[in-house]
Amino acid sequence: MAAQLVREWVGIEEFPAPTRESVIELLADLFKQNVDTLTILVLGKGGVGKSSTINSIIGERVVTVSAFQSETPRPVMVSRSRGDFTLNIIDTPGLVEAGYVSNQVLDTIKSFLGRFLMTKTIDVLLYVDRLDAYRVDNLDKQIVKAITESFGKEIWHKAIVVLTHAQLSPPDALTYEEFFAKRSESLMKCVRQGARLSKKDVQNNVIPVALVENSGRCNKNEHDEKILPIGTPWIPNLIQTVSEIVLNGQKGIIVDQRLIEGPNANDRGKLFIPLILAFEYLFVIKPIQRGIKNDAAREAKPLWA
């Protein structure tokens, strides 16, 4: 496993005082619960604000963001420490290429995880999309399905849906709360269908939705904290949601050889052997046996009968 450079988390000191105090308190609470390392995987389409969100969380420009390049070309892990606590955040390329989900990108991400996090756990998934994307289509469902097939359905037990570009004026005379509720529900329906989550899964493991505004036009309160249109300081709110997911009682996703390589093709084939044998017996062997038996009975019958 390759070593990862861990730097001191100096960006936390650049937060406004209330944000800094909230984040430090949340990290201290995690440490009290014997959580000294937190690893966050960030996935989503390109251009939705994955890298900018990471920069906002860290409080530094740790991942390059360019108006001329909406994609992170390869996975990047940013590691920061404060005292005995270490935060790892993994930025990833967009999962869509030429209008289709890219299995090659997913394989690249898993290979990267194998290099740097083998035998470690993914504690939180941030699935990032935009609040101002008004449609959910089949491609969104295919992305969720691909993530589920790559990391297992359990990844959604440790997930937060993050909606960026939250500083907007809703269309159709909707209030901000109404628009947020409609957008969240349409995307969560997509996640439930794409991941094939059962009703029990949905009830027992509610996936929270967090709002984010990374741009310089984000409103601020009297303490200079970046706030959402509803007045909530979003950075401490997101960190608190991350903390709740870490402590939700569900196991993190272990990075092992099975995760990296995926289910063995031979193993998948073995699952169908009993069905194939049953089919052959009922629809091939059984009719043949019945035909032979009938022929034998006819031959044994006297010609004058």
Side-chain angles (χ1 to χ4, degrees):
M1 184 173 68
Q4 171 69 15
L5 178 64
V6 181
R7 300 180 184 275
E8 187 71 20
W9 193 353
V10 296
I12 203 169
E13 300 299 332
E14 301 302 316
F15 290 145
T19 295
R20 181 172 66 249
E21 292 167 6
S22 296
V23 171
I24 291 173
E25 183 178 346
L26 288 166
L27 298 181
D29 289 343
L30 285 174
F31 195 77
K32 289 176 185 176
Q33 297 293 327
N34 298 317
V35 178
D36 58 6
T37 302
L38 169 58
T39 300
I40 301 173
L41 176 63
V42 185
L43 296 176
K45 290 177 284 192
V48 295
K50 300 188 300 293
S51 300
S52 296
T53 300
I54 291 172
N55 289 341
S56 294
I57 292 172
I58 297 294
E60 307 171 49
R61 191 180 176 84
V62 292
V63 185
T64 302
V65 179
S66 169
F68 303 102
Q69 179 180 315
S70 63
E71 295 286 327
T72 298
R74 62 186 66 84
V76 176
M77 183 159 73
V78 178
S79 298
R80 292 293 183 267
S81 67
R82 183 176 179 84
D84 295 322
F85 185 89
T86 301
L87 172 66
N88 303 311
I89 308 185
I90 302 154
D91 194 14
T92 58
L95 298 179
V96 176
E97 289 185 346
Y100 296 92
V101 177
S102 172
N103 290 320
Q104 183 177 355
V105 170
L106 282 164
D107 288 342
T108 299
I109 293 169
K110 292 195 291 183
S111 176
F112 178 87
L113 296 175
R115 283 185 60 204
F116 291 97
L117 290 172
M118 186 63 80
T119 74
K120 307 297 184 183
T121 61
I122 299 167
D123 302 299
V124 177
L125 165 67
L126 298 186
Y127 179 64
V128 184
D129 207 330
R130 295 175 61 131
L131 179 63
D132 61 354
Y134 302 120
R135 291 180 55 200
V136 174
D137 55 27
N138 188 58
L139 180 59
D140 295 291
K141 192 185 296 184
Q142 292 303 315
I143 294 170
V144 172
K145 181 182 177 184
I147 292 172
T148 307
E149 290 174 348
S150 293
F151 296 96
K153 188 182 293 187
E154 295 76 17
I155 192 73
W156 299 104
H157 297 165
K158 307 299 291 184
I160 302 169
V161 171
V162 175
L163 296 178
T164 61
H165 296 261
Q167 188 82 32
L168 59 74
S169 297
D172 304 326
L174 294 170
T175 67
Y176 189 86
E177 291 83 353
E178 289 171 339
F179 179 77
F180 170 54
K182 286 179 177 292
R183 171 68 174 135
S184 299
E185 177 51 34
S186 64
L187 193 53
M188 291 310 303
K189 182 179 179 181
C190 171
V191 170
R192 290 193 296 268
Q193 292 176 344
R196 294 186 176 181
L197 299 177
S198 67
K199 187 175 181 180
K200 185 177 180 181
D201 275 330
V202 174
Q203 291 173 342
N204 294 342
N205 302 282
V206 177
I207 302 174
V209 181
L211 291 169
V212 165
E213 177 55 68
N214 293 301
S215 75
R217 66 189 180 91
C218 183
N219 292 333
K220 296 182 179 181
N221 61 16
E222 66 272 19
H223 304 296
D224 205 36
E225 295 178 288
K226 290 185 174 183
I227 60 172
L228 302 169
I230 53 178
T232 305
W234 74 260
I235 292 177
N237 183 66
L238 177 58
I239 299 296
Q240 180 176 349
T241 307
V242 166
S243 176
E244 291 168 356
I245 290 295
V246 172
L247 301 175
N248 70 358
Q250 300 290 339
K251 292 182 179 179
I253 306 303
I254 298 175
V255 179
D256 56 15
Q257 206 62 38
R258 182 177 176 81
L259 177 74
I260 304 307
E261 296 180 353
N264 185 280
N266 293 328
D267 289 342
R268 289 198 299 269
K270 289 175 184 176
L271 295 175
F272 296 101
I273 289 177
L275 294 175
I276 294 170
L277 292 176
F279 179 87
E280 286 183 348
Y281 178 75
L282 291 173
F283 298 101
V284 180
I285 297 175
K286 195 77 171 175
I288 290 174
Q289 288 177 337
R290 192 162 48 244
I292 292 172
K293 187 176 180 180
N294 292 338
D295 288 344
R298 281 196 297 270
E299 289 178 4
K301 193 173 183 180
L303 294 176
W304 58 85

PDB file of all heavy atoms in Angstrom, residues 72-98:
ATOM      1  N   THR A  72     -11.694  16.448 -12.618  1.00  0.00           N
ATOM      2  CA  THR A  72     -10.443  16.035 -11.999  1.00  0.00           C
ATOM      3  C   THR A  72      -9.941  14.860 -12.828  1.00  0.00           C
ATOM      4  O   THR A  72     -10.632  13.850 -12.951  1.00  0.00           O
ATOM      5  CB  THR A  72     -10.677  15.591 -10.543  1.00  0.00           C
ATOM      6  OG1 THR A  72     -11.170  16.695  -9.796  1.00  0.00           O
ATOM      7  CG2 THR A  72      -9.392  15.071  -9.918  1.00  0.00           C
ATOM      8  N   PRO A  73      -8.739  14.959 -13.455  1.00  0.00           N
ATOM      9  CA  PRO A  73      -8.319  13.924 -14.404  1.00  0.00           C
ATOM     10  C   PRO A  73      -8.095  12.556 -13.780  1.00  0.00           C
ATOM     11  O   PRO A  73      -8.222  11.544 -14.443  1.00  0.00           O
ATOM     12  CB  PRO A  73      -7.020  14.489 -14.987  1.00  0.00           C
ATOM     13  CG  PRO A  73      -6.535  15.472 -13.970  1.00  0.00           C
ATOM     14  CD  PRO A  73      -7.758  16.043 -13.330  1.00  0.00           C
ATOM     15  N   ARG A  74      -7.759  12.527 -12.482  1.00  0.00           N
ATOM     16  CA  ARG A  74      -7.516  11.253 -11.804  1.00  0.00           C
ATOM     17  C   ARG A  74      -7.865  11.412 -10.331  1.00  0.00           C
ATOM     18  O   ARG A  74      -7.938  12.535  -9.830  1.00  0.00           O
ATOM     19  CB  ARG A  74      -6.051  10.834 -11.966  1.00  0.00           C
ATOM     20  CG  ARG A  74      -5.063  11.796 -11.352  1.00  0.00           C
ATOM     21  CD  ARG A  74      -3.631  11.408 -11.666  1.00  0.00           C
ATOM     22  NE  ARG A  74      -3.351  11.525 -13.082  1.00  0.00           N
ATOM     23  CZ  ARG A  74      -2.997  12.670 -13.682  1.00  0.00           C
ATOM     24  NH1 ARG A  74      -2.901  13.790 -12.973  1.00  0.00           N
ATOM     25  NH2 ARG A  74      -2.755  12.705 -14.971  1.00  0.00           N
ATOM     26  N   PRO A  75      -8.085  10.306  -9.619  1.00  0.00           N
ATOM     27  CA  PRO A  75      -8.396  10.424  -8.185  1.00  0.00           C
ATOM     28  C   PRO A  75      -7.265  11.088  -7.410  1.00  0.00           C
ATOM     29  O   PRO A  75      -6.085  10.916  -7.721  1.00  0.00           O
ATOM     30  CB  PRO A  75      -8.581   8.967  -7.746  1.00  0.00           C
ATOM     31  CG  PRO A  75      -8.914   8.222  -8.999  1.00  0.00           C
ATOM     32  CD  PRO A  75      -8.143   8.917 -10.090  1.00  0.00           C
ATOM     33  N   VAL A  76      -7.642  11.866  -6.415  1.00  0.00           N
ATOM     34  CA  VAL A  76      -6.684  12.553  -5.546  1.00  0.00           C
ATOM     35  C   VAL A  76      -7.160  12.411  -4.105  1.00  0.00           C
ATOM     36  O   VAL A  76      -8.343  12.629  -3.823  1.00  0.00           O
ATOM     37  CB  VAL A  76      -6.572  14.055  -5.902  1.00  0.00           C
ATOM     38  CG1 VAL A  76      -5.655  14.773  -4.927  1.00  0.00           C
ATOM     39  CG2 VAL A  76      -6.095  14.249  -7.329  1.00  0.00           C
ATOM     40  N   MET A  77      -6.250  12.033  -3.208  1.00  0.00           N
ATOM     41  CA  MET A  77      -6.611  11.986  -1.797  1.00  0.00           C
ATOM     42  C   MET A  77      -5.911  13.108  -1.041  1.00  0.00           C
ATOM     43  O   MET A  77      -4.690  13.246  -1.107  1.00  0.00           O
ATOM     44  CB  MET A  77      -6.257  10.642  -1.153  1.00  0.00           C
ATOM     45  CG  MET A  77      -6.702  10.561   0.311  1.00  0.00           C
ATOM     46  SD  MET A  77      -6.868   8.871   0.933  1.00  0.00           S
ATOM     47  CE  MET A  77      -5.147   8.391   1.069  1.00  0.00           C
ATOM     48  N   VAL A  78      -6.707  13.908  -0.361  1.00  0.00           N
ATOM     49  CA  VAL A  78      -6.190  15.006   0.452  1.00  0.00           C
ATOM     50  C   VAL A  78      -6.272  14.571   1.913  1.00  0.00           C
ATOM     51  O   VAL A  78      -7.350  14.185   2.391  1.00  0.00           O
ATOM     52  CB  VAL A  78      -7.011  16.290   0.236  1.00  0.00           C
ATOM     53  CG1 VAL A  78      -6.478  17.405   1.122  1.00  0.00           C
ATOM     54  CG2 VAL A  78      -6.996  16.696  -1.231  1.00  0.00           C
ATOM     55  N   SER A  79      -5.149  14.610   2.614  1.00  0.00           N
ATOM     56  CA  SER A  79      -5.105  14.171   4.013  1.00  0.00           C
ATOM     57  C   SER A  79      -4.645  15.321   4.901  1.00  0.00           C
ATOM     58  O   SER A  79      -3.619  15.949   4.636  1.00  0.00           O
ATOM     59  CB  SER A  79      -4.156  12.979   4.179  1.00  0.00           C
ATOM     60  OG  SER A  79      -4.601  11.869   3.425  1.00  0.00           O
ATOM     61  N   ARG A  80      -5.409  15.577   5.958  1.00  0.00           N
ATOM     62  CA  ARG A  80      -5.091  16.625   6.910  1.00  0.00           C
ATOM     63  C   ARG A  80      -5.229  16.094   8.339  1.00  0.00           C
ATOM     64  O   ARG A  80      -6.111  15.281   8.621  1.00  0.00           O
ATOM     65  CB  ARG A  80      -6.024  17.832   6.715  1.00  0.00           C
ATOM     66  CG  ARG A  80      -5.809  18.579   5.415  1.00  0.00           C
ATOM     67  CD  ARG A  80      -4.463  19.265   5.402  1.00  0.00           C
ATOM     68  NE  ARG A  80      -4.227  20.053   4.195  1.00  0.00           N
ATOM     69  CZ  ARG A  80      -3.614  19.580   3.112  1.00  0.00           C
ATOM     70  NH1 ARG A  80      -3.219  18.307   3.070  1.00  0.00           N
ATOM     71  NH2 ARG A  80      -3.408  20.366   2.066  1.00  0.00           N
ATOM     72  N   SER A  81      -4.352  16.548   9.206  1.00  0.00           N
ATOM     73  CA  SER A  81      -4.395  16.100  10.601  1.00  0.00           C
ATOM     74  C   SER A  81      -4.535  17.298  11.534  1.00  0.00           C
ATOM     75  O   SER A  81      -4.029  18.393  11.256  1.00  0.00           O
ATOM     76  CB  SER A  81      -3.130  15.308  10.955  1.00  0.00           C
ATOM     77  OG  SER A  81      -1.992  16.155  10.948  1.00  0.00           O
ATOM     78  N   ARG A  82      -5.218  17.062  12.625  1.00  0.00           N
ATOM     79  CA  ARG A  82      -5.289  18.040  13.709  1.00  0.00           C
ATOM     80  C   ARG A  82      -5.189  17.255  15.010  1.00  0.00           C
ATOM     81  O   ARG A  82      -6.079  16.461  15.342  1.00  0.00           O
ATOM     82  CB  ARG A  82      -6.592  18.838  13.665  1.00  0.00           C
ATOM     83  CG  ARG A  82      -6.626  19.909  14.764  1.00  0.00           C
ATOM     84  CD  ARG A  82      -7.871  20.766  14.676  1.00  0.00           C
ATOM     85  NE  ARG A  82      -7.880  21.749  15.743  1.00  0.00           N
ATOM     86  CZ  ARG A  82      -7.266  22.924  15.719  1.00  0.00           C
ATOM     87  NH1 ARG A  82      -6.599  23.288  14.638  1.00  0.00           N
ATOM     88  NH2 ARG A  82      -7.329  23.753  16.744  1.00  0.00           N
ATOM     89  N   GLY A  83      -4.079  17.463  15.704  1.00  0.00           N
ATOM     90  CA  GLY A  83      -3.819  16.645  16.878  1.00  0.00           C
ATOM     91  C   GLY A  83      -3.659  15.194  16.451  1.00  0.00           C
ATOM     92  O   GLY A  83      -2.888  14.874  15.554  1.00  0.00           O
ATOM     93  N   ASP A  84      -4.422  14.305  17.076  1.00  0.00           N
ATOM     94  CA  ASP A  84      -4.360  12.881  16.752  1.00  0.00           C
ATOM     95  C   ASP A  84      -5.461  12.454  15.782  1.00  0.00           C
ATOM     96  O   ASP A  84      -5.682  11.262  15.575  1.00  0.00           O
ATOM     97  CB  ASP A  84      -4.471  12.050  18.037  1.00  0.00           C
ATOM     98  CG  ASP A  84      -3.278  12.265  18.961  1.00  0.00           C
ATOM     99  OD1 ASP A  84      -2.152  12.386  18.439  1.00  0.00           O
ATOM    100  OD2 ASP A  84      -3.476  12.312  20.190  1.00  0.00           O
ATOM    101  N   PHE A  85      -6.137  13.426  15.186  1.00  0.00           N
ATOM    102  CA  PHE A  85      -7.235  13.119  14.258  1.00  0.00           C
ATOM    103  C   PHE A  85      -6.781  13.358  12.817  1.00  0.00           C
ATOM    104  O   PHE A  85      -6.160  14.381  12.520  1.00  0.00           O
ATOM    105  CB  PHE A  85      -8.461  13.991  14.563  1.00  0.00           C
ATOM    106  CG  PHE A  85      -9.666  13.652  13.748  1.00  0.00           C
ATOM    107  CD1 PHE A  85     -10.570  12.707  14.196  1.00  0.00           C
ATOM    108  CD2 PHE A  85      -9.897  14.274  12.522  1.00  0.00           C
ATOM    109  CE1 PHE A  85     -11.686  12.385  13.438  1.00  0.00           C
ATOM    110  CE2 PHE A  85     -11.005  13.958  11.759  1.00  0.00           C
ATOM    111  CZ  PHE A  85     -11.900  13.011  12.219  1.00  0.00           C
ATOM    112  N   THR A  86      -7.115  12.409  11.917  1.00  0.00           N
ATOM    113  CA  THR A  86      -6.746  12.528  10.505  1.00  0.00           C
ATOM    114  C   THR A  86      -7.991  12.467   9.630  1.00  0.00           C
ATOM    115  O   THR A  86      -8.832  11.578   9.784  1.00  0.00           O
ATOM    116  CB  THR A  86      -5.780  11.400  10.078  1.00  0.00           C
ATOM    117  OG1 THR A  86      -4.605  11.456  10.887  1.00  0.00           O
ATOM    118  CG2 THR A  86      -5.400  11.546   8.610  1.00  0.00           C
ATOM    119  N   LEU A  87      -8.085  13.422   8.715  1.00  0.00           N
ATOM    120  CA  LEU A  87      -9.178  13.466   7.748  1.00  0.00           C
ATOM    121  C   LEU A  87      -8.628  13.180   6.359  1.00  0.00           C
ATOM    122  O   LEU A  87      -7.673  13.821   5.918  1.00  0.00           O
ATOM    123  CB  LEU A  87      -9.837  14.852   7.761  1.00  0.00           C
ATOM    124  CG  LEU A  87     -10.875  15.135   6.672  1.00  0.00           C
ATOM    125  CD1 LEU A  87     -12.107  14.244   6.853  1.00  0.00           C
ATOM    126  CD2 LEU A  87     -11.270  16.613   6.667  1.00  0.00           C
ATOM    127  N   ASN A  88      -9.206  12.189   5.681  1.00  0.00           N
ATOM    128  CA  ASN A  88      -8.873  11.880   4.287  1.00  0.00           C
ATOM    129  C   ASN A  88     -10.101  12.144   3.422  1.00  0.00           C
ATOM    130  O   ASN A  88     -11.186  11.624   3.717  1.00  0.00           O
ATOM    131  CB  ASN A  88      -8.474  10.411   4.128  1.00  0.00           C
ATOM    132  CG  ASN A  88      -7.306  10.003   5.005  1.00  0.00           C
ATOM    133  OD1 ASN A  88      -6.283  10.676   5.039  1.00  0.00           O
ATOM    134  ND2 ASN A  88      -7.463   8.907   5.722  1.00  0.00           N
ATOM    135  N   ILE A  89      -9.934  12.926   2.368  1.00  0.00           N
ATOM    136  CA  ILE A  89     -11.024  13.142   1.412  1.00  0.00           C
ATOM    137  C   ILE A  89     -10.506  12.797   0.021  1.00  0.00           C
ATOM    138  O   ILE A  89      -9.463  13.289  -0.403  1.00  0.00           O
ATOM    139  CB  ILE A  89     -11.544  14.591   1.429  1.00  0.00           C
ATOM    140  CG1 ILE A  89     -11.908  15.044   2.846  1.00  0.00           C
ATOM    141  CG2 ILE A  89     -12.761  14.710   0.523  1.00  0.00           C
ATOM    142  CD1 ILE A  89     -12.529  16.421   2.919  1.00  0.00           C
ATOM    143  N   ILE A  90     -11.272  11.958  -0.691  1.00  0.00           N
ATOM    144  CA  ILE A  90     -10.844  11.480  -2.004  1.00  0.00           C
ATOM    145  C   ILE A  90     -11.694  12.132  -3.078  1.00  0.00           C
ATOM    146  O   ILE A  90     -12.910  11.907  -3.157  1.00  0.00           O
ATOM    147  CB  ILE A  90     -10.962   9.950  -2.094  1.00  0.00           C
ATOM    148  CG1 ILE A  90     -10.120   9.299  -0.997  1.00  0.00           C
ATOM    149  CG2 ILE A  90     -10.505   9.450  -3.463  1.00  0.00           C
ATOM    150  CD1 ILE A  90     -10.603   7.946  -0.574  1.00  0.00           C
ATOM    151  N   ASP A  91     -11.047  12.953  -3.891  1.00  0.00           N
ATOM    152  CA  ASP A  91     -11.706  13.565  -5.046  1.00  0.00           C
ATOM    153  C   ASP A  91     -11.585  12.605  -6.221  1.00  0.00           C
ATOM    154  O   ASP A  91     -10.590  11.876  -6.343  1.00  0.00           O
ATOM    155  CB  ASP A  91     -11.046  14.906  -5.374  1.00  0.00           C
ATOM    156  CG  ASP A  91     -11.880  15.739  -6.335  1.00  0.00           C
ATOM    157  OD1 ASP A  91     -13.063  15.405  -6.535  1.00  0.00           O
ATOM    158  OD2 ASP A  91     -11.349  16.730  -6.872  1.00  0.00           O
ATOM    159  N   THR A  92     -12.574  12.593  -7.088  1.00  0.00           N
ATOM    160  CA  THR A  92     -12.588  11.617  -8.180  1.00  0.00           C
ATOM    161  C   THR A  92     -13.037  12.264  -9.488  1.00  0.00           C
ATOM    162  O   THR A  92     -13.724  13.287  -9.483  1.00  0.00           O
ATOM    163  CB  THR A  92     -13.562  10.458  -7.856  1.00  0.00           C
ATOM    164  OG1 THR A  92     -14.876  10.985  -7.629  1.00  0.00           O
ATOM    165  CG2 THR A  92     -13.106   9.679  -6.630  1.00  0.00           C
ATOM    166  N   PRO A  93     -12.674  11.658 -10.615  1.00  0.00           N
ATOM    167  CA  PRO A  93     -13.178  12.152 -11.903  1.00  0.00           C
ATOM    168  C   PRO A  93     -14.689  11.940 -12.011  1.00  0.00           C
ATOM    169  O   PRO A  93     -15.259  11.095 -11.311  1.00  0.00           O
ATOM    170  CB  PRO A  93     -12.434  11.281 -12.935  1.00  0.00           C
ATOM    171  CG  PRO A  93     -11.307  10.645 -12.192  1.00  0.00           C
ATOM    172  CD  PRO A  93     -11.750  10.526 -10.772  1.00  0.00           C
ATOM    173  N   GLY A  94     -15.317  12.688 -12.890  1.00  0.00           N
ATOM    174  CA  GLY A  94     -16.742  12.485 -13.144  1.00  0.00           C
ATOM    175  C   GLY A  94     -17.001  11.084 -13.683  1.00  0.00           C
ATOM    176  O   GLY A  94     -16.185  10.528 -14.425  1.00  0.00           O
ATOM    177  N   LEU A  95     -18.125  10.520 -13.314  1.00  0.00           N
ATOM    178  CA  LEU A  95     -18.426   9.134 -13.663  1.00  0.00           C
ATOM    179  C   LEU A  95     -19.045   8.978 -15.046  1.00  0.00           C
ATOM    180  O   LEU A  95     -19.344   7.854 -15.454  1.00  0.00           O
ATOM    181  CB  LEU A  95     -19.375   8.534 -12.614  1.00  0.00           C
ATOM    182  CG  LEU A  95     -18.831   8.474 -11.179  1.00  0.00           C
ATOM    183  CD1 LEU A  95     -19.879   7.872 -10.243  1.00  0.00           C
ATOM    184  CD2 LEU A  95     -17.538   7.670 -11.121  1.00  0.00           C
ATOM    185  N   VAL A  96     -19.249  10.071 -15.761  1.00  0.00           N
ATOM    186  CA  VAL A  96     -19.896  10.005 -17.078  1.00  0.00           C
ATOM    187  C   VAL A  96     -18.922  10.462 -18.157  1.00  0.00           C
ATOM    188  O   VAL A  96     -18.267  11.495 -18.017  1.00  0.00           O
ATOM    189  CB  VAL A  96     -21.164  10.876 -17.105  1.00  0.00           C
ATOM    190  CG1 VAL A  96     -21.773  10.888 -18.507  1.00  0.00           C
ATOM    191  CG2 VAL A  96     -22.184  10.373 -16.089  1.00  0.00           C
ATOM    192  N   GLU A  97     -18.842   9.666 -19.222  1.00  0.00           N
ATOM    193  CA  GLU A  97     -18.049  10.031 -20.393  1.00  0.00           C
ATOM    194  C   GLU A  97     -18.898   9.816 -21.641  1.00  0.00           C
ATOM    195  O   GLU A  97     -19.481   8.744 -21.819  1.00  0.00           O
ATOM    196  CB  GLU A  97     -16.772   9.185 -20.477  1.00  0.00           C
ATOM    197  CG  GLU A  97     -15.726   9.525 -19.414  1.00  0.00           C
ATOM    198  CD  GLU A  97     -14.437   8.748 -19.615  1.00  0.00           C
ATOM    199  OE1 GLU A  97     -14.454   7.767 -20.397  1.00  0.00           O
ATOM    200  OE2 GLU A  97     -13.429   9.105 -18.988  1.00  0.00           O
ATOM    201  N   ALA A  98     -18.971  10.833 -22.476  1.00  0.00           N
ATOM    202  CA  ALA A  98     -19.723  10.758 -23.738  1.00  0.00           C
ATOM    203  C   ALA A  98     -21.166  10.314 -23.520  1.00  0.00           C
ATOM    204  O   ALA A  98     -21.730   9.582 -24.330  1.00  0.00           O
ATOM    205  CB  ALA A  98     -19.017   9.814 -24.713  1.00  0.00           C
TER     206      ALA A  98
END
